[in-house]
Amino acid sequence: MPGGRSVDWAALEADLGTVLPSDFRSLAEAYPILVVDDFLTVSVPRPGAEASWASESREDEILQDLYEMGDTEGYVPFPQPGGLICWAESNSGDFFYWRTSPAAPDAWPVVVRTDNGDWSEFPVGAVEFLAGVYRRTLDVSGMPRDFPGDDPKVLGLSDRID
């Protein structure tokens, strides 16, 4: 991809133990850090730090704690079959996951756990989910009513240090 960030997807996915959805890979190549309306941050891997991203995804302590407390409404942490992998979070404690089932990553639904403990599942990928939230065509129960704002900003920030 011209101008892409050169994430080593093969290494990341080998460390993680699964292929990731193609829409997320494209998003991560285009936007090193993606922030929607100063509220929702998409967690994208940095070139050279793929192992760290994979490790954090496999060892999601918050999700593991919720699971052990029985507060996941039947969802399980990855790498269990159908387990959740976090790909974004908000600055108020909402978490955005993929449910890694069915097997084809491009068919993984988005699962949201809001800061008030509501769980919702959407039969779309990450990019379609973000577009739906941005356009207000997807209603996420438990999310702040003022998100996104009337004039939402989407920032693609560079991870280069000059």
Side-chain angles (χ1 to χ4, degrees):
M1 166 178 204
R5 300 176 53 243
S6 303
V7 171
D8 186 342
W9 293 105
L12 184 149
E13 293 169 344
D15 283 348
L16 184 58
T18 186
V19 172
L20 292 172
S22 59
D23 67 335
F24 178 76
R25 290 168 55 144
S26 296
L27 186 73
E29 286 291 330
Y31 300 100
I33 300 171
L34 186 66
V35 181
V36 180
D37 212 18
D38 198 29
F39 178 75
L40 189 155
T41 302
V42 178
S43 170
V44 295
R46 289 189 341 263
E50 293 88 354
S52 173
W53 194 94
S55 175
E56 288 173 16
S57 296
R58 270 195 327 271
E59 299 162 17
D60 185 330
E61 292 179 18
I62 294 171
L63 181 59
Q64 188 63 42
D65 288 348
L66 290 170
Y67 178 67
E68 289 171 6
M69 292 186 299
D71 190 20
T72 57
E73 293 193 10
Y75 292 108
V76 298
F78 186 80
Q80 293 184 50
L84 301 181
I85 296 176
C86 188
W87 57 270
E89 62 185 84
S90 77
N91 61 13
S92 72
D94 307 296
F95 291 91
F96 305 84
Y97 304 94
W98 292 293
R99 182 171 51 83
T100 58
S101 153
D106 287 343
W108 291 348
V110 169
V111 174
V112 179
R113 182 188 186 275
T114 60
D115 68 332
N116 61 7
D118 289 342
W119 289 86
S120 304
E121 186 168 316
F122 300 88
V124 296
V127 171
E128 191 175 339
F129 176 83
L130 290 170
V133 167
Y134 184 84
R135 292 183 188 128
R136 295 185 179 174
T137 56
L138 269 182
D139 180 39
V140 183
S141 175
M143 292 281 287
R145 295 215 180 276
D146 60 351
F147 174 75
D150 291 334
D151 185 23
K153 304 286 188 266
V154 178
L155 301 176
L157 306 174
S158 175
D159 61 358
R160 291 189 332 185
I161 300 171
D162 295 324

